[in-house]
Amino acid sequence: MKRIIILILVVSFQLSCSDLVDGINDDPNNITESTFGSILTGAEVGNLLVQSGETARRSALFAGQYTGLDRQHLSLTQYNVTTSTFDALWYDLYVNAYRNAVVAETVAIDDNIGPVSLGITQVLQAYIIGTAASIYGDVPYDEAGDIENTNPAYEDQPAVFQKIQDRLDEAISNLQMGGGRPVGGSDIYYDGAPNKWIESAYTLKARFYLVTKQYDLAYEAAQNGISSFENSMYAPHGTAVQNSNLNYQLFAVAVRQADVVVSDFMTSLVQPGSSNPIPANYRGNSKTDETARFNYLFNITSVGVQPNTEDGFAAQTAPAPLVTYQENLLILAEAALRSQGFQAGLEALNDFRAFMNTGGYLMNIDPANLQYDPYIVADFAAGGIENPNGLSQEDALLREILEERYVTLFGLIEPFNDMRRTLNESNVRVPVEPNTGNQLPQRFLIPQTEIDRNENVPNPIPDFFEPTDINL
């Protein structure tokens, strides 16, 4: 009975989100695999909603990348949040994403679908709960997938991250067996390709080691991470309104698209020319031209600077970046610098710049507006083009890498994680300032729906400005 109840809820969720993807789960000759495939698709769509939907947008806003002008976005910009502000986001994460991934794993085991399918569900679980722990702190994990348990226990944030790493190791072992791929089309990220899932699992390991400041382990994991842009994990989008890019849906379709713009600070990092709101922030120099990236990321509208919904980052059919080659390259750069030294970090940064110099992750750009020449040691010496204010060469390089992460991962959750992780590194952190008061946001709040229903929620509820354990 328990499995039947779960599957009914999963199917109900999928019916409500079925328009997000086209042509999936068509295997009338194999009912078992089709059932698993349908649940897997639901889990991946749920994860997409978390990683590139409202949770990501609020993370970017709290990290200083967006500015709200009216209604809810204005309240968020002013840090006027309550526990109920996060109700829908918690539901996206734990019901639409995580619970579906747990059910998919159960079906894969019960119906002996095979190790690759099993490994995919385990990567998804680690990805989703790792995200939850990053932004909320202590969260339910071991008991969170049990639909009949209305009071799942909360677990300490560092312990959850260790379990996530163990889960990813287990997933990698299953994926390496190579058999039992999901039915074609049901895995909307990689269509069941085990090697791509393995690389993404290693990049996720590296991401979460970075979050927990275990830089030597992040460097080790990233060396096995995503090895090419083609192996990046992107979520597909289409031409129907319901399956359009989620940023397109907000900024090109929604009736409140004028409520939020890209912040002056974010704009200033990449906008060339006299229109730059803070010209001193512009990242361009004799070796760098950010014009192409600005044009890919943004449009100037009647409201202000907003994501490019025409032919760039937020275009209707633009795939959503989830776990990417560019992120892996920048994890290597930061983790190499912190654990292996200056030269290793510089070489890794230049690997990223070489990728960008050929277009990188940008699309529909003019190559004439693109320049990312390699840096040399002298560029980070006192007085060099990347060190005008006399930092140590290590700090100057770290500052450049962190700023590059902030720009490259625009609109995602990771800049919010980076902002909090590096807050005490005043010489090198991206200088995001509070929109009001003198404190930056430190976490998402445990939602009111959880407080009302789960007797195991932390007491007292952590404050919006209270650092999570890993950022103390």
Side-chain angles (χ1 to χ4, degrees):
M1 176 61 73
K2 177 179 176 182
R3 176 170 163 186
I4 293 174
I5 293 172
I6 293 173
L7 289 178
I8 289 173
L9 291 178
V10 169
V11 171
S12 297
F13 162 67
Q14 281 187 271
L15 289 174
S16 67
C17 295
S18 61
D19 288 331
L20 281 172
V21 291
D22 296 318
I24 57 174
N25 309 325
D26 296 327
D27 187 4
N29 298 317
N30 193 326
I31 300 302
T32 296
E33 290 192 7
S34 292
T35 299
F36 170 77
S38 298
I39 302 168
L40 174 63
T41 304
E44 293 186 346
V45 171
N47 182 57
L48 165 62
L49 296 175
V50 172
Q51 307 298 340
S52 68
E54 191 60 28
T55 295
R57 190 155 41 249
R58 291 190 194 178
S59 295
L61 190 151
F62 296 150
Q65 294 186 329
Y66 286 121
T67 298
L69 303 179
D70 200 4
R71 287 173 283 216
Q72 184 183 41
H73 286 103
L74 176 59
S75 294
L76 293 169
T77 292
Q78 296 172 337
Y79 307 150
N80 292 328
V81 299
T82 66
T83 52
S84 61
T85 303
F86 301 91
D87 286 348
L89 308 188
W90 185 269
Y91 188 90
D92 279 346
L93 200 153
Y94 271 101
V95 178
N96 291 346
Y98 183 63
R99 190 164 288 166
N100 280 278
V102 170
V103 175
E105 179 191 26
T106 300
V107 175
I109 293 171
D110 290 351
D111 296 337
N112 196 27
I113 302 296
V116 169
S117 293
L118 180 61
I120 290 170
T121 69
Q122 293 165 337
V123 174
L124 287 171
Q125 290 171 38
Y127 187 2
I128 296 160
I129 294 297
T131 300
S134 297
I135 59 179
Y136 287 98
D138 297 353
V139 292
Y141 179 32
D142 285 348
E143 299 178 359
D146 183 355
I147 195 170
E148 295 182 351
N149 185 348
T150 58
N151 297 291
Y154 278 68
E155 302 179 44
D156 291 343
Q157 185 189 38
V160 171
F161 275 116
Q162 183 54 59
K163 290 182 178 181
I164 291 305
Q165 294 292 347
D166 294 342
R167 193 62 160 161
L168 287 167
D169 288 339
E170 183 181 2
I172 290 167
S173 295
N174 281 318
L175 290 162
Q176 288 172 336
M177 294 182 187
R181 292 173 58 158
V183 64
S186 59
D187 170 13
I188 64 172
Y189 301 159
Y190 285 139
D191 200 20
N195 289 338
K196 292 181 179 181
W197 274 104
I198 290 168
E199 289 188 357
S200 284
Y202 275 112
T203 295
L204 285 170
K205 286 179 67 67
R207 175 191 291 184
F208 295 135
Y209 279 135
L210 205 69
V211 168
T212 57
K213 306 177 187 178
Q214 295 171 280
Y215 299 115
D216 54 339
L217 295 176
Y219 180 68
E220 180 182 342
Q223 291 182 84
N224 294 310
I226 297 174
S227 60
S228 68
F229 181 66
E230 293 71 25
N231 285 3
S232 295
M233 181 188 289
Y234 277 80
H237 289 292
T239 56
V241 172
Q242 297 92 337
N243 70 355
S244 299
N245 181 288
L246 296 179
N247 283 297
Y248 176 87
Q249 291 188 40
L250 176 68
F251 289 101
V253 178
V255 295
R256 295 180 178 179
Q257 58 194 258
D259 287 2
V260 61
V261 295
V262 178
S263 70
D264 284 351
F265 176 72
M266 179 68 217
T267 300
S268 71
L269 296 174
V270 292
Q271 184 175 31
S274 59
S275 297
N276 188 310
I278 316 172
N281 286 352
Y282 180 56
R283 291 172 40 76
N285 54 42
S286 61
K287 295 186 174 183
T288 305
D289 184 351
E290 293 283 18
T291 304
R293 180 147 57 174
F294 176 82
N295 291 336
Y296 162 76
L297 287 173
F298 306 132
N299 281 331
I300 300 175
T301 71
S302 60
V303 179
V305 177
Q306 292 185 307
N308 180 352
T309 58
E310 296 176 5
D311 59 0
F313 170 76
Q316 184 173 17
T317 61
L322 300 176
V323 189
T324 63
Y325 179 57
Q326 55 267 28
E327 180 186 0
N328 198 77
L329 287 173
L330 290 171
I331 292 173
L332 281 170
E334 181 181 351
L337 172 62
R338 291 185 185 269
S339 68
Q340 309 298 312
F342 177 86
Q343 192 60 41
L346 178 58
E347 290 174 2
L349 176 61
N350 279 333
D351 287 342
F352 171 82
R353 290 177 67 82
F355 167 66
M356 290 298 293
N357 207 41
T358 61
Y361 63 92
L362 312 180
M363 64 182 189
N364 299 321
I365 58 170
D366 182 352
N369 294 328
L370 188 75
Q371 181 187 12
Y372 297 94
D373 294 340
Y375 284 129
I376 61 175
V377 174
D379 295 329
F380 296 94
I385 60 174
E386 279 296 321
N387 191 5
N389 48 352
L391 298 176
S392 69
Q393 65 175 8
E394 289 80 11
D395 279 356
L397 177 56
L398 181 55
R399 179 174 61 185
E400 167 61 19
I401 292 169
L402 292 174
E403 191 175 86
E404 183 58 70
R405 283 178 55 84
Y406 187 82
V407 173
T408 295
L409 302 176
F410 167 75
L412 304 177
I413 295 170
E414 290 315 298
F416 181 53
N417 291 336
D418 285 357
M419 180 191 78
R420 297 173 295 141
R421 172 171 63 90
T422 63
L423 187 59
N424 294 324
E425 298 180 272
S426 57
N427 283 345
V428 300
R429 75 175 187 90
V430 177
V432 177
E433 296 298 328
N435 297 323
T436 184
N438 59 6
Q439 297 181 86
L440 288 165
Q442 287 289 336
R443 62 169 76 224
F444 284 24
L445 296 179
I446 295 172
Q448 190 62 43
T449 51
E450 182 72 359
I451 296 169
D452 291 342
R453 298 171 185 171
N454 187 347
E455 63 186 23
N456 289 321
V457 295
N459 185 16
I461 300 298
D463 183 75
F464 187 56
F465 299 105
E466 181 180 336
T468 66
D469 288 349
I470 59 173
N471 292 316
L472 289 173

